[in-house]
Each structure stands twice: as C-alpha cells, then as structure tokens.
Amino acid sequence: MFTLIELPYASLAPVISDQTLSFHHGKHLQTYVDNLNKLIAGTEFEGLDLEEIIRKASGGIFNNAGQILNHEMYFSQFAPDRSLPAPTGNLLAQIVKQWGSFEAFQAEFEAKGTALFGSGWVWLQADAEGTLTIGQYANADNPVAHGLRPILTFDVWEHAYYLDYQNRRAAQLKELWKIVDWAVVEKRYQ
Ligand code: MN
C-alpha cells in the first residue's frame, strides 16, 4: 500500500499559495495514491517499489506510479527556510561544466519547462556517469522510465500553478527557484 507523503513544511507561500499546496498535495497527489493502490491490488505489481513499477508498467499503473514519484520528489525538494539556497560542490561543478554557469542552467531549465506542450515535467537528470541533462517529459513520464537518475523537477501541469499564476507558467517557474533547497537536490546527485 502506498500512502500520501507528509509535507516537511506548513507553507511555501507566497511562491506557492497555501490553497494550491492544499489541492496539489491533498487532492491531486492523494488521488494518484488511491488510484495506484486500487490498480495494483492482486497484480504482479503489488509489493514492488515505485521505481520498479515505473520501469515495468504501462497504462494507468505507469501513469499513477509516475505521478506519485514525480510529486514526492517535487514536494520534498522545497523548503521555506532553505538550508542551502544555491548548488555547491560537485553538483555546482557539473552544472558549470555542462552549461557554463548556474544562471545559464536556470535559463535553459525555465525555457524547456515553458516550451513543454501540454502537461508534464521538466527534470534535471543524470546518467550513470553523472553527466547532467535537462529532460522534458509529457504527462507522468520521468527519467526513471528512461534509465536516468531524477535530480530536480518543476511540475508544469496547470494544476501546479493555475490558481496562483493563471496562464503564466514561465512566471511560476522563475519563482520556484526561491524555494528549492539545494541540500536535498545535492543528496540526490551524490
Ligand atoms: Mn502536479
């Protein structure tokens, strides 16, 4: 049985309003958890962890498992009082190697999130050698399904921003940098 993750903070306002956070976590993510539990009951997927399900499943099981992993990583990378407000160490070195600067990386990440047609996710991802790339994924798809390691993600489904930013997806992506806790992100890259 999968359960809804508890958020490690009470609020991310004003970057994400309390109303959006409440619907996004308490309604959207809860629904993916409930759906997956129903869909895997009595199947070969019962008892597998999320990454195993994502690698093996298709259709509704893949979609709901993918959305749980995507949202768990999305919500857990934010903090109102960040312990680390910018990347450091090896992660920063790899970002600079790939993009030239942290600011250039941020610009490409925002541009790829903004340009993604329809619902989906923009991810910072790593391959087995640690090489970083930015991936655009439709709907519930994610780096795990493609043999890559998920590092950082922004949700570009309208439910993630519409109450606060309406159609201005790019404006929300720009604001999200203010709540990313790079201590969490760096742990994922280690
Ligand atoms: Mn979402």
Side-chain angles (χ1 to χ4, degrees):
M1 282 282 284
F2 291 96
T3 54
L4 182 67
I5 55 156
E6 284 183 33
L7 297 177
Y9 39 75
S11 176
L12 295 170
V15 174
I16 296 173
S17 72
D18 292 346
Q19 188 186 26
T20 290
L21 189 64
S22 171
F23 276 103
H24 201 179
H25 173 260
K27 302 293 183 189
H28 289 277
L29 179 51
Q30 179 72 63
T31 299
Y32 297 128
V33 170
D34 293 343
N35 286 345
L36 185 65
N37 284 329
K38 275 183 218 148
L39 288 167
I40 63 174
T43 74
E44 60 181 304
F45 298 105
E46 201 168 14
L48 299 186
D49 67 30
L50 277 179
E51 295 210 359
E52 290 170 325
I53 295 174
I54 289 164
R55 288 193 202 98
K56 292 179 182 176
S58 59
I61 293 179
F62 174 85
N63 286 335
N64 286 283
Q67 285 294 74
I68 296 170
L69 182 136
N70 293 341
H71 284 94
E72 286 184 351
M73 296 194 73
Y74 174 79
F75 286 124
S76 64
Q77 75 198 358
F78 296 135
D81 299 307
R82 315 181 283 175
S83 55
L84 193 58
T88 59
N90 186 40
L91 179 58
L92 178 61
Q94 292 300 320
I95 286 172
V96 170
K97 186 178 159 193
Q98 292 299 127
W99 287 279
S101 68
F102 178 53
E103 292 71 25
F105 155 74
Q106 288 178 296
E108 185 181 327
F109 199 84
E110 289 173 33
K112 286 195 162 162
T114 302
L116 202 160
F117 189 79
S119 296
W121 300 80
V122 59
W123 279 95
L124 175 64
Q125 57 196 7
D127 69 12
E129 283 75 46
T131 301
L132 294 169
T133 51
I134 297 170
Q136 293 169 301
Y137 293 92
N139 301 317
D141 198 10
N142 63 41
V144 173
H146 300 267
L148 298 167
R149 193 142 46 102
I151 307 292
L152 167 77
T153 191
F154 287 177
D155 186 345
V156 300
W157 284 61
E158 284 187 346
H159 68 225
Y161 59 85
Y162 214 84
L163 292 175
D164 303 337
Y165 298 83
Q166 294 76 50
N167 61 314
R168 294 174 296 119
R169 182 194 285 183
Q172 201 226 22
L173 298 184
K174 197 169 275 304
E175 289 297 298
L176 287 179
W177 298 116
K178 296 177 181 171
I179 51 171
V180 173
D181 189 342
W182 288 89
V184 175
V185 179
E186 286 186 11
K187 264 193 204 117
R188 295 173 181 172
Y189 186 62
Q190 273 168 6

